[in-house]
Every structure is written in C-alpha cells, then in structure tokens.
Amino acid sequence: MRNKIVAGNWKMNTTPVEGIALVSEVLEAIKNIDLEHKKVVFGVPAVSITSVASVIGDTSNVYVASQNVSSYDSGAYTGEISAAMLVASGAAMAIIGHSERREYFNETNEVLAVKVDKVLDKGVVAIYCCGEVLEERKNGTFETVIQNQIEEGLFHLSEDQMKNVVIAYEPVWAIGTGETASPEQAQAVHAFIRRLVANKYGAELAENTSVLYGGSMKPGNAKELMGMADIDGGLVGGASLKSSDFVEIIKAM
Ligand code: PEP
C-alpha cells in the first residue's frame, strides 16, 4: 500500500527561529491525528534542517527534507551541500528538480539524475519533481516533457532504488500562481506517470510509488485533489508557510 504524503516546501523563507516556531505549531495541531500510512514532510532551507529535525525528534511519520543537494560528494565546491551533510543534519528526504531549480539554476534532467543518485546512496528518499510550463500544456507536448523528465532523471535507477523515490507532479503554470490544475487534469497526468513507472518497473512497484500533486494546493482544494485515485498527496509551497493552512491540508490527506 502506498503512503499518502503531504510535504511542505518552504523555499527561501523562514529563519531557523521562525522555522522552529512553524514546525512546533503544526506538530501541536496534528498530535492526535493518526498518521498510519501517511507522512508529513517539512522541506526547509538547509540552515534550518538541524533545528527542525530536533523539534521533530522521533515523532512518527514526520520528516525533514532538504530542497536541493550537491551533485558532488565533497571538496572544492564553494556553497554546495553534500548528501552526507544533509543526512548528518537530520534530513530524511530531499526535494530534487523543483521547477525553480530547473529554471533559475539551469538544472537539467542529466544533473538531476546524479543528484537523485547522491541522495539515494545515503538512504535519503528523493522527492523528484516534474511538470510542464504553460506553453507545453497549451501546445499539447506536456506528456512528452514529463516523460523525458522522468525517464532521464529516474529510469537509470534499479528497482530497489526506485522504491525510495516519490514523484511530485507540479505543473509550472500552477506553482505560486493561485491557479490549480483541475482534479481531472492532475489525475490524468498522475495516471500517466504511474503507467510510465509500471512499464519500466512493473505494476506492483508503480502501485506502491507515491505521486504527489503540487501547484497552489490549499485548504480549499486539497481534499478534492487528494481524493483522486492516483493523487497520493501534495507538495505544498505557499500554504505550508501558514501553520493553520498546512494543518488543514494534512487533515485533508
Ligand atoms: C511548490 O513550490 O512546490 C509549490 C507547489 O508552490 P505553491 O503551492 O505555492 O504553488
């Protein structure tokens, strides 16, 4: 049975002190919620990983994720943070290939494939993002774009490695715009992604792979989106910065 997951992506927001307050509020509000077969993830700035991990402590089914990782292991790479460093800081997951990293930092499928390897090698779950821009949605090439992102970023992995991958479908036109893919639009792409995984790794592995939706998910639309057959949760940007909104989305899971 695949896990349902609600993962926050704080992006470049919150200081460590603010992060501690935000996570503490969320944990307090969800302390009586049964998280069996469910995960709550906080994708925080690298400087907050240690402090947020210590607030979470051994709370079941709650994890910290980084928002990036270096494609190098160590050495003269100023400003980079390795997978080993992330693990040592307390990260159990890593968001890889967010569209903002693809767009502003020129991360290609090729480099993302290496980043996925780096985190999986250290036992960190990769939350691998894919999704089309508006033009690709309009001109009908979006399935090809998503297929390339998934094949080139993930399909070099072994079956065992693939079990530690979560896929996030994030239509770029819906990120931070207030515009959401309709549940039907998102479901169609999620089913497409699951078919790709099934064709490569078999139906059982595909059935057990969590595929999250991201793009202006909020309390008002979370339940409907996550109610679709192939939508296993959300990667949540803006709404993860307000504890009450994030808690509502967790409750909708
Ligand atoms: C994101 O950053 O992954 C995201 C989905 O952002 P938002 O929820 O703000 O659209």
Coordinates of all heavy atoms in Angstrom, one line a residue, residues 43-132:
G43 N 9.9 20.6 4.0 CA 11.1 20.9 3.1 C 11.6 22.3 3.5 O 11.0 23.3 3.1
V44 N 12.7 22.3 4.2 CA 13.1 23.6 4.8 C 14.4 24.1 4.2 O 15.2 23.3 3.6 CB 13.2 23.4 6.3 CG1 12.0 22.8 6.9 CG2 14.4 22.5 6.7
P45 N 14.8 25.3 4.4 CA 16.1 25.8 4.0 C 17.2 25.0 4.7 O 17.0 24.6 5.8 CB 16.1 27.3 4.4 CG 14.6 27.7 4.5 CD 13.9 26.4 5.0
A46 N 18.3 24.8 4.0 CA 19.4 24.0 4.6 C 19.8 24.4 6.0 O 20.0 23.5 6.8 CB 20.6 24.0 3.6
V47 N 19.8 25.7 6.2 CA 20.3 26.2 7.6 C 19.3 25.8 8.7 O 19.6 25.9 9.8 CB 20.5 27.7 7.6 CG1 21.7 28.1 6.7 CG2 19.3 28.5 7.2
S48 N 18.1 25.4 8.3 CA 17.1 25.0 9.3 C 16.9 23.5 9.5 O 16.2 23.1 10.4 CB 15.7 25.6 9.0 OG 15.8 27.0 9.0
I49 N 17.6 22.7 8.7 CA 17.4 21.3 8.8 C 17.7 20.8 10.2 O 16.9 20.0 10.8 CB 18.3 20.5 7.8 CG1 17.8 20.8 6.4 CG2 18.3 19.0 8.0 CD1 18.7 20.3 5.2
T50 N 18.8 21.1 10.8 CA 19.2 20.6 12.1 C 18.2 21.0 13.2 O 17.7 20.2 14.0 CB 20.6 21.1 12.5 OG1 21.5 20.9 11.5 CG2 21.1 20.5 13.8
S51 N 17.8 22.3 13.2 CA 16.9 22.7 14.3 C 15.5 22.1 14.1 O 14.8 21.7 15.0 CB 16.8 24.3 14.3 OG 16.7 24.8 13.1
V52 N 15.0 22.1 12.8 CA 13.7 21.5 12.6 C 13.7 20.0 12.9 O 12.8 19.5 13.6 CB 13.2 21.8 11.2 CG1 12.0 20.9 10.8 CG2 12.9 23.2 11.0
A53 N 14.8 19.3 12.6 CA 14.9 17.9 12.9 C 14.9 17.7 14.4 O 14.3 16.7 14.9 CB 16.2 17.3 12.3
S54 N 15.5 18.6 15.1 CA 15.5 18.4 16.6 C 14.1 18.6 17.2 O 13.7 18.0 18.2 CB 16.6 19.1 17.3 OG 16.3 20.5 17.2
V55 N 13.3 19.5 16.6 CA 12.0 19.8 17.1 C 11.1 18.5 16.8 O 10.3 18.1 17.6 CB 11.3 21.0 16.4 CG1 9.8 21.1 16.8 CG2 12.0 22.3 16.8
I56 N 11.3 17.9 15.6 CA 10.5 16.7 15.3 C 10.9 15.6 16.1 O 10.1 14.7 16.5 CB 10.7 16.4 13.7 CG1 10.1 17.5 12.9 CG2 10.2 15.0 13.4 CD1 10.4 17.4 11.4
G57 N 12.2 15.5 16.4 CA 12.7 14.4 17.3 C 12.3 13.0 16.7 O 12.5 12.8 15.5
D58 N 11.7 12.2 17.5 CA 11.3 10.9 17.0 C 9.8 10.8 16.7 O 9.2 9.7 16.8 CB 11.7 9.7 17.9 CG 11.2 9.9 19.3 OD1 10.4 10.9 19.5 OD2 11.6 9.2 20.2
T59 N 9.1 11.9 16.5 CA 7.7 11.9 16.1 C 7.5 11.0 14.9 O 8.2 11.2 13.9 CB 7.2 13.3 15.7 OG1 7.6 14.2 16.7 CG2 5.7 13.4 15.6
S60 N 6.6 10.0 15.0 CA 6.4 9.1 14.0 C 5.9 9.7 12.7 O 5.0 10.6 12.8 CB 5.4 8.0 14.4 OG 5.9 7.4 15.5
N61 N 6.4 9.3 11.6 CA 5.9 9.6 10.3 C 6.0 11.1 9.9 O 5.2 11.6 9.1 CB 4.4 9.2 10.1 CG 4.3 7.7 10.3 OD1 5.2 6.9 9.8 ND2 3.3 7.2 11.0
V62 N 6.9 11.8 10.6 CA 7.1 13.2 10.3 C 8.6 13.4 10.0 O 9.5 12.9 10.7 CB 6.7 14.2 11.5 CG1 7.0 15.6 11.1 CG2 5.3 14.0 11.8
Y63 N 9.0 14.0 8.9 CA 10.3 14.1 8.4 C 10.7 15.4 7.9 O 9.9 16.3 7.6 CB 10.5 13.1 7.2 CG 10.1 11.7 7.5 CD1 8.7 11.3 7.3 CD2 10.9 10.8 8.1 CE1 8.3 10.0 7.6 CE2 10.5 9.5 8.4 CZ 9.2 9.1 8.2 OH 8.8 7.8 8.5
V64 N 12.1 15.6 7.9 CA 12.6 16.9 7.3 C 13.2 16.5 5.9 O 13.8 15.5 5.8 CB 13.8 17.4 8.1 CG1 14.2 18.8 7.6 CG2 13.4 17.6 9.6
A65 N 13.0 17.4 5.0 CA 13.6 17.3 3.7 C 14.4 18.5 3.4 O 14.1 19.6 3.8 CB 12.5 17.1 2.6
S66 N 15.5 18.3 2.6 CA 16.2 19.4 2.0 C 15.5 19.8 0.7 O 14.6 19.1 0.3 CB 17.6 19.0 1.7 OG 17.6 18.1 0.7
Q67 N 15.9 21.0 0.2 CA 15.2 21.4 -1.1 C 16.2 21.2 -2.3 O 15.8 21.6 -3.4 CB 14.9 22.9 -1.0 CG 13.9 23.2 0.2 CD 13.7 24.7 0.4 OE1 14.2 25.5 -0.4 NE2 13.0 25.0 1.5
N68 N 17.3 20.7 -2.0 CA 18.4 20.5 -3.0 C 19.5 19.7 -2.5 O 19.5 19.4 -1.3 CB 18.9 21.9 -3.4 CG 19.9 21.9 -4.6 OD1 19.9 21.0 -5.4 ND2 20.7 22.9 -4.6
V69 N 20.4 19.3 -3.3 CA 21.6 18.6 -2.8 C 22.7 18.8 -3.9 O 22.4 19.1 -5.0 CB 21.4 17.1 -2.7 CG1 21.1 16.4 -4.1 CG2 22.5 16.4 -2.0
S70 N 23.9 18.8 -3.5 CA 25.0 18.9 -4.4 C 25.1 17.6 -5.3 O 24.8 16.5 -4.8 CB 26.3 19.1 -3.7 OG 27.4 19.2 -4.7
S71 N 25.6 17.8 -6.5 CA 25.8 16.6 -7.3 C 27.3 16.1 -7.1 O 27.7 15.2 -7.7 CB 25.6 16.9 -8.8 OG 26.3 18.1 -9.2
Y72 N 28.0 16.8 -6.2 CA 29.3 16.3 -5.8 C 29.3 15.8 -4.4 O 28.5 16.1 -3.6 CB 30.3 17.5 -5.9 CG 30.4 18.1 -7.3 CD1 29.7 19.3 -7.6 CD2 31.1 17.4 -8.3 CE1 29.8 19.8 -8.9 CE2 31.2 18.0 -9.6 CZ 30.5 19.2 -9.8 OH 30.6 19.7 -11.1
D73 N 30.4 15.0 -4.1 CA 30.4 14.4 -2.7 C 31.1 15.3 -1.7 O 30.7 15.3 -0.5 CB 31.2 13.0 -2.8 CG 30.3 12.0 -3.5 OD1 29.1 12.1 -3.3 OD2 30.9 11.1 -4.1
S74 N 32.2 15.9 -2.1 CA 33.0 16.8 -1.2 C 34.0 17.5 -1.9 O 34.2 17.2 -3.1 CB 33.6 15.9 -0.1 OG 34.6 15.1 -0.7
G75 N 34.7 18.5 -1.3 CA 35.8 19.1 -1.9 C 35.6 20.6 -2.3 O 34.7 21.2 -1.6
A76 N 36.2 21.0 -3.3 CA 36.3 22.5 -3.6 C 35.1 22.9 -4.4 O 35.2 23.2 -5.6 CB 37.6 22.8 -4.3
Y77 N 33.9 22.9 -3.8 CA 32.7 23.3 -4.4 C 32.0 24.3 -3.5 O 31.0 24.0 -2.9 CB 31.8 22.1 -4.7 CG 32.5 21.0 -5.6 CD1 33.0 19.9 -5.1 CD2 32.6 21.3 -7.0 CE1 33.7 19.0 -5.9 CE2 33.3 20.4 -7.8 CZ 33.8 19.2 -7.2 OH 34.5 18.3 -8.0
T78 N 32.5 25.5 -3.5 CA 32.0 26.5 -2.6 C 30.5 26.7 -2.6 O 29.9 26.9 -3.7 CB 32.7 27.9 -2.9 OG1 34.1 27.6 -2.8 CG2 32.3 29.0 -2.0
G79 N 29.9 26.7 -1.5 CA 28.5 26.9 -1.4 C 27.6 25.7 -1.5 O 26.4 25.8 -1.3
E80 N 28.2 24.6 -1.8 CA 27.4 23.3 -2.1 C 27.2 22.6 -0.7 O 28.0 22.7 0.2 CB 28.1 22.5 -3.1 CG 28.1 23.0 -4.5 CD 26.7 22.9 -5.1 OE1 26.4 21.8 -5.7 OE2 25.9 23.8 -4.9
I81 N 26.2 21.8 -0.7 CA 25.9 20.9 0.5 C 25.7 19.5 0.0 O 24.9 19.2 -0.8 CB 24.7 21.5 1.2 CG1 24.9 22.9 1.7 CG2 24.3 20.6 2.4 CD1 23.7 23.6 2.3
S82 N 26.5 18.6 0.5 CA 26.5 17.2 0.0 C 25.4 16.4 0.7 O 24.8 16.8 1.7 CB 27.8 16.5 0.3 OG 27.9 16.3 1.7
A83 N 25.1 15.3 0.1 CA 24.1 14.4 0.6 C 24.5 13.9 2.0 O 23.6 13.8 2.9 CB 23.9 13.2 -0.3
A84 N 25.8 13.6 2.2 CA 26.2 13.2 3.5 C 26.0 14.2 4.6 O 25.6 13.9 5.7 CB 27.7 12.8 3.5
M85 N 26.2 15.5 4.2 CA 26.0 16.6 5.2 C 24.5 16.7 5.5 O 24.1 17.0 6.7 CB 26.4 17.9 4.5 CG 27.9 18.0 4.4 SD 28.3 19.5 3.4 CE 30.1 19.3 3.3
L86 N 23.6 16.5 4.5 CA 22.2 16.6 4.7 C 21.8 15.5 5.7 O 21.0 15.8 6.7 CB 21.4 16.4 3.4 CG 21.6 17.6 2.4 CD1 20.8 17.2 1.1 CD2 21.2 18.9 3.0
V87 N 22.3 14.3 5.5 CA 21.9 13.2 6.4 C 22.4 13.5 7.8 O 21.6 13.4 8.8 CB 22.6 11.9 5.9 CG1 22.3 10.8 7.0 CG2 22.0 11.5 4.6
A88 N 23.6 14.0 7.9 CA 24.2 14.3 9.3 C 23.4 15.4 10.0 O 23.4 15.5 11.2 CB 25.7 14.7 9.1
S89 N 22.8 16.2 9.2 CA 22.0 17.3 9.7 C 20.6 16.9 10.1 O 19.9 17.6 10.8 CB 21.9 18.5 8.7 OG 23.1 18.9 8.3
G90 N 20.1 15.7 9.6 CA 18.8 15.2 10.0 C 17.8 15.1 8.9 O 16.6 14.8 9.1
A91 N 18.2 15.3 7.7 CA 17.3 15.2 6.5 C 17.1 13.8 6.2 O 18.0 13.0 6.0 CB 17.8 16.0 5.3
A92 N 15.8 13.4 6.0 CA 15.5 12.0 5.6 C 15.0 12.0 4.2 O 14.9 10.9 3.6 CB 14.4 11.5 6.5
M93 N 14.7 13.2 3.6 CA 14.2 13.3 2.3 C 14.9 14.5 1.6 O 15.4 15.4 2.3 CB 12.7 13.4 2.3 CG 11.9 12.3 2.8 SD 10.1 12.6 2.6 CE 9.5 10.9 2.7
A94 N 14.8 14.5 0.3 CA 15.3 15.7 -0.4 C 14.4 15.9 -1.7 O 14.1 15.0 -2.4 CB 16.7 15.4 -0.9
I95 N 14.0 17.2 -1.8 CA 13.3 17.6 -3.0 C 14.3 17.8 -4.1 O 15.3 18.6 -3.9 CB 12.5 18.9 -2.7 CG1 11.5 18.7 -1.6 CG2 11.8 19.4 -4.0 CD1 10.9 20.0 -1.0
I96 N 14.1 17.1 -5.2 CA 15.1 17.2 -6.3 C 14.4 17.7 -7.6 O 13.4 17.1 -7.9 CB 15.8 15.8 -6.6 CG1 16.4 15.2 -5.3 CG2 16.8 15.9 -7.7 CD1 17.7 15.8 -4.9
G97 N 14.9 18.6 -8.2 CA 14.4 19.0 -9.6 C 13.2 19.9 -9.5 O 12.4 19.9 -10.5
H98 N 13.0 20.6 -8.4 CA 11.9 21.6 -8.4 C 12.0 22.5 -9.6 O 13.1 22.8 -10.0 CB 11.9 22.4 -7.1 CG 10.7 23.2 -6.9 ND1 10.5 24.4 -7.5 CD2 9.6 23.0 -6.1 CE1 9.3 24.9 -7.2 NE2 8.7 24.0 -6.3
S99 N 10.9 22.9 -10.2 CA 10.9 23.7 -11.4 C 11.7 25.0 -11.2 O 12.3 25.5 -12.2 CB 9.5 24.0 -11.9 OG 8.8 24.8 -10.9
E100 N 11.7 25.5 -10.0 CA 12.5 26.8 -9.8 C 14.0 26.5 -9.9 O 14.8 27.3 -10.4 CB 12.2 27.4 -8.4 CG 10.8 28.0 -8.4 CD 10.1 28.0 -7.1 OE1 10.7 27.8 -6.0 OE2 8.8 28.2 -7.1
R101 N 14.4 25.3 -9.5 CA 15.8 24.9 -9.7 C 16.1 24.6 -11.2 O 17.2 25.0 -11.7 CB 16.2 23.7 -8.8 CG 16.1 24.1 -7.3 CD 17.2 23.5 -6.5 NE 18.5 23.9 -7.0 CZ 19.2 24.9 -6.6 NH1 18.7 25.8 -5.7 NH2 20.4 25.1 -7.1
R102 N 15.2 24.0 -11.8 CA 15.4 23.8 -13.3 C 15.5 25.1 -14.0 O 16.3 25.3 -14.8 CB 14.2 23.0 -13.8 CG 14.1 21.5 -13.4 CD 12.9 20.9 -13.9 NE 12.6 19.5 -13.4 CZ 13.1 18.4 -14.1 NH1 13.8 18.5 -15.2 NH2 12.8 17.2 -13.6
E103 N 14.6 26.1 -13.6 CA 14.5 27.3 -14.4 C 15.6 28.3 -14.0 O 16.3 28.9 -14.9 CB 13.1 28.0 -14.2 CG 13.0 29.2 -15.0 CD 11.6 29.9 -14.8 OE1 10.7 29.3 -14.2 OE2 11.5 31.1 -15.3
Y104 N 15.8 28.6 -12.7 CA 16.7 29.6 -12.3 C 18.2 29.1 -12.1 O 19.1 30.0 -12.1 CB 16.3 30.3 -11.0 CG 14.8 30.8 -11.0 CD1 14.0 30.6 -9.9 CD2 14.3 31.4 -12.1 CE1 12.7 31.0 -9.9 CE2 13.0 31.9 -12.1 CZ 12.2 31.6 -11.0 OH 10.9 32.1 -11.0
F105 N 18.3 27.9 -11.9 CA 19.7 27.3 -11.7 C 20.1 26.3 -12.8 O 21.1 25.6 -12.6 CB 19.8 26.8 -10.3 CG 19.4 27.8 -9.2 CD1 18.1 27.8 -8.7 CD2 20.3 28.7 -8.8 CE1 17.8 28.8 -7.8 CE2 20.0 29.7 -7.9 CZ 18.7 29.7 -7.4
N106 N 19.3 26.3 -13.9 CA 19.7 25.6 -15.1 C 19.9 24.1 -14.8 O 20.8 23.5 -15.3 CB 21.0 26.2 -15.7 CG 20.8 27.6 -16.1 OD1 19.7 28.0 -16.6 ND2 21.7 28.4 -15.8
E107 N 19.2 23.5 -13.9 CA 19.4 22.1 -13.6 C 18.7 21.3 -14.6 O 17.5 21.4 -14.9 CB 18.8 21.8 -12.2 CG 19.7 22.5 -11.1 CD 19.4 22.0 -9.7 OE1 18.5 21.1 -9.5 OE2 20.1 22.4 -8.8
T108 N 19.4 20.4 -15.3 CA 18.9 19.6 -16.4 C 18.6 18.2 -15.8 O 19.0 17.8 -14.7 CB 20.0 19.4 -17.4 OG1 21.1 18.8 -16.8 CG2 20.5 20.7 -18.0
N109 N 17.8 17.5 -16.6 CA 17.5 16.1 -16.2 C 18.8 15.3 -15.9 O 18.8 14.5 -15.0 CB 16.7 15.4 -17.3 CG 15.3 16.0 -17.6 OD1 14.8 16.6 -16.6 ND2 14.8 15.9 -18.8
E110 N 19.8 15.6 -16.7 CA 21.1 14.9 -16.5 C 21.7 15.1 -15.2 O 22.1 14.2 -14.5 CB 22.0 15.3 -17.7 CG 23.2 14.5 -17.9 CD 24.1 15.0 -19.0 OE1 23.8 16.2 -19.5 OE2 25.0 14.3 -19.4
V111 N 21.8 16.4 -14.8 CA 22.4 16.7 -13.5 C 21.4 16.2 -12.3 O 21.9 15.7 -11.3 CB 22.7 18.2 -13.3 CG1 21.6 19.0 -13.0 CG2 23.8 18.3 -12.3
L112 N 20.1 16.3 -12.6 CA 19.2 15.8 -11.6 C 19.3 14.3 -11.4 O 19.1 13.8 -10.2 CB 17.8 16.2 -12.0 CG 17.6 17.7 -12.0 CD1 16.2 18.1 -12.6 CD2 17.7 18.3 -10.6
A113 N 19.6 13.6 -12.4 CA 19.8 12.1 -12.3 C 20.9 11.8 -11.3 O 20.9 10.9 -10.5 CB 20.1 11.5 -13.6
V114 N 22.0 12.7 -11.4 CA 23.1 12.5 -10.5 C 22.7 12.9 -9.1 O 23.1 12.2 -8.1 CB 24.3 13.4 -11.0 CG1 25.5 13.3 -10.0 CG2 24.8 13.0 -12.4
K115 N 22.0 13.9 -8.9 CA 21.5 14.3 -7.6 C 20.6 13.3 -6.9 O 20.7 13.0 -5.7 CB 20.8 15.7 -7.7 CG 21.7 16.8 -8.0 CD 21.0 18.2 -7.9 CE 22.1 19.3 -8.2 NZ 21.7 20.5 -7.5
V116 N 19.8 12.7 -7.7 CA 18.9 11.6 -7.2 C 19.8 10.4 -6.7 O 19.7 9.9 -5.6 CB 18.0 11.1 -8.3 CG1 17.3 9.8 -7.9 CG2 16.9 12.1 -8.6
D117 N 20.9 10.1 -7.5 CA 21.8 9.0 -7.1 C 22.5 9.4 -5.8 O 22.6 8.6 -4.9 CB 22.9 8.9 -8.1 CG 22.4 8.3 -9.4 OD1 21.3 7.7 -9.4 OD2 23.2 8.4 -10.4
K118 N 22.9 10.6 -5.6 CA 23.6 11.1 -4.4 C 22.8 10.9 -3.2 O 23.2 10.4 -2.2 CB 24.1 12.5 -4.6 CG 25.1 12.8 -5.6 CD 26.4 12.0 -5.4 CE 27.4 12.2 -6.5 NZ 28.5 11.2 -6.5
V119 N 21.5 11.3 -3.2 CA 20.7 11.2 -2.0 C 20.3 9.7 -1.8 O 20.4 9.2 -0.6 CB 19.4 12.1 -2.0 CG1 19.9 13.5 -2.0 CG2 18.5 11.8 -3.1
L120 N 20.0 9.0 -2.8 CA 19.6 7.6 -2.6 C 20.8 6.8 -2.0 O 20.6 5.9 -1.2 CB 19.1 6.9 -3.9 CG 17.8 7.5 -4.5 CD1 17.4 6.7 -5.8 CD2 16.7 7.4 -3.5
D121 N 22.0 7.1 -2.5 CA 23.2 6.4 -1.9 C 23.3 6.6 -0.4 O 23.9 5.8 0.2 CB 24.4 7.0 -2.6 CG 24.8 6.4 -3.9 OD1 24.1 5.5 -4.3 OD2 25.8 6.9 -4.5
K122 N 22.8 7.7 0.1 CA 22.9 8.0 1.5 C 21.6 7.6 2.3 O 21.4 7.9 3.4 CB 23.2 9.5 1.8 CG 24.5 9.9 1.2 CD 25.7 9.3 1.9 CE 27.0 9.7 1.3 NZ 28.0 8.6 1.3
G123 N 20.7 6.9 1.6 CA 19.5 6.4 2.3 C 18.4 7.5 2.4 O 17.5 7.4 3.2
V124 N 18.6 8.6 1.6 CA 17.6 9.7 1.7 C 16.6 9.5 0.6 O 16.9 9.1 -0.5 CB 18.3 11.0 1.5 CG1 17.4 12.2 1.3 CG2 19.3 11.3 2.7
V125 N 15.3 9.6 0.9 CA 14.3 9.5 -0.1 C 14.3 10.7 -1.0 O 14.3 11.9 -0.6 CB 12.9 9.4 0.6 CG1 11.7 9.4 -0.4 CG2 12.8 8.1 1.4
A126 N 14.2 10.5 -2.3 CA 14.2 11.6 -3.3 C 12.7 11.9 -3.6 O 12.0 11.0 -4.0 CB 14.9 11.2 -4.6
I127 N 12.4 13.2 -3.5 CA 11.1 13.6 -4.0 C 11.4 14.3 -5.3 O 11.9 15.5 -5.3 CB 10.4 14.6 -3.0 CG1 10.2 14.0 -1.6 CG2 9.1 15.1 -3.6 CD1 9.7 14.9 -0.6
Y128 N 11.2 13.6 -6.4 CA 11.6 14.1 -7.7 C 10.5 14.8 -8.4 O 9.4 14.3 -8.6 CB 12.1 12.9 -8.6 CG 12.6 13.3 -9.9 CD1 13.8 13.9 -10.1 CD2 11.8 13.1 -11.1 CE1 14.3 14.2 -11.4 CE2 12.2 13.5 -12.3 CZ 13.5 14.0 -12.5 OH 13.9 14.4 -13.7
C129 N 10.8 16.1 -8.8 CA 9.7 16.9 -9.3 C 9.7 16.9 -10.9 O 10.8 16.9 -11.5 CB 9.9 18.4 -8.9 SG 9.9 18.6 -7.1
C130 N 8.5 17.0 -11.4 CA 8.4 17.1 -12.9 C 7.2 18.0 -13.2 O 6.4 18.2 -12.3 CB 8.2 15.7 -13.5 SG 6.8 14.8 -13.0
G131 N 7.1 18.4 -14.4 CA 5.9 19.2 -14.7 C 6.2 20.2 -15.9 O 7.4 20.6 -16.1
E132 N 5.2 20.5 -16.6 CA 5.3 21.3 -17.8 C 5.0 22.8 -17.6 O 4.3 23.1 -16.6 CB 4.3 20.8 -18.8 CG 2.9 21.2 -18.7 CD 2.1 20.5 -17.6 OE1 2.6 19.7 -16.9 OE2 0.9 20.8 -17.4

